[in-house]
Amino acid sequence: MIACPSPKCSSPNVADLPHYWQSLPAESPLKAKYAPPARPKVSYWAALVAVAVGILVLSEGAILIGLLIAAGGAGWGAVVYRAVQFAEAQRAAWESSHVCLACTGTF
């Protein structure tokens, strides 16, 4: 049995946070407080286009500029990938969280 870890509370009245959030009515002020982390709106298209343009510029003979453009696209793709991974880790942590129904603390 899970109990609230707060030394002031220690209540056994605990619920899974995602289930509790889904059960709240839409007009509840707690709906926003306990909402899941937002999924990032990402697109790899800019990174792919930059890499393709870099390769095209490389094939035209401008080696340094082509490499810089392709490396910039690859770097941007890595940044986007890390942002997605971070957001998914936050969402996984939210999905495994609990809420104390006595003190409204989350853990």
Side-chain angles (χ1 to χ4, degrees):
M1 178 139 186
I2 299 173
C4 180
S6 171
K8 296 178 182 177
C9 180
S10 300
S11 172
N13 196 9
V14 173
D16 289 330
L17 184 57
H19 183 264
Y20 177 71
W21 177 76
Q22 288 177 346
S23 69
L24 290 171
E27 61 274 357
S28 173
L30 295 177
K31 193 77 169 177
K33 178 180 178 183
Y34 296 125
R39 293 187 189 265
K41 295 181 184 354
V42 297
S43 175
Y44 291 102
W45 285 110
L48 290 173
V49 168
V51 170
V53 168
I55 292 171
L56 181 64
V57 170
L58 269 169
S59 69
E60 295 296 321
I63 295 179
L64 184 58
I65 294 173
L67 286 175
L68 286 174
I69 294 171
W76 180 250
V79 167
V80 170
Y81 177 78
R82 289 191 68 194
V84 169
Q85 294 303 316
F86 180 73
E88 290 302 320
Q90 284 184 320
R91 191 157 183 93
W94 178 84
E95 288 174 355
S96 64
S97 295
H98 297 87
V99 61
C100 176
L101 301 176
C103 71
T104 68
T106 58
F107 57 97

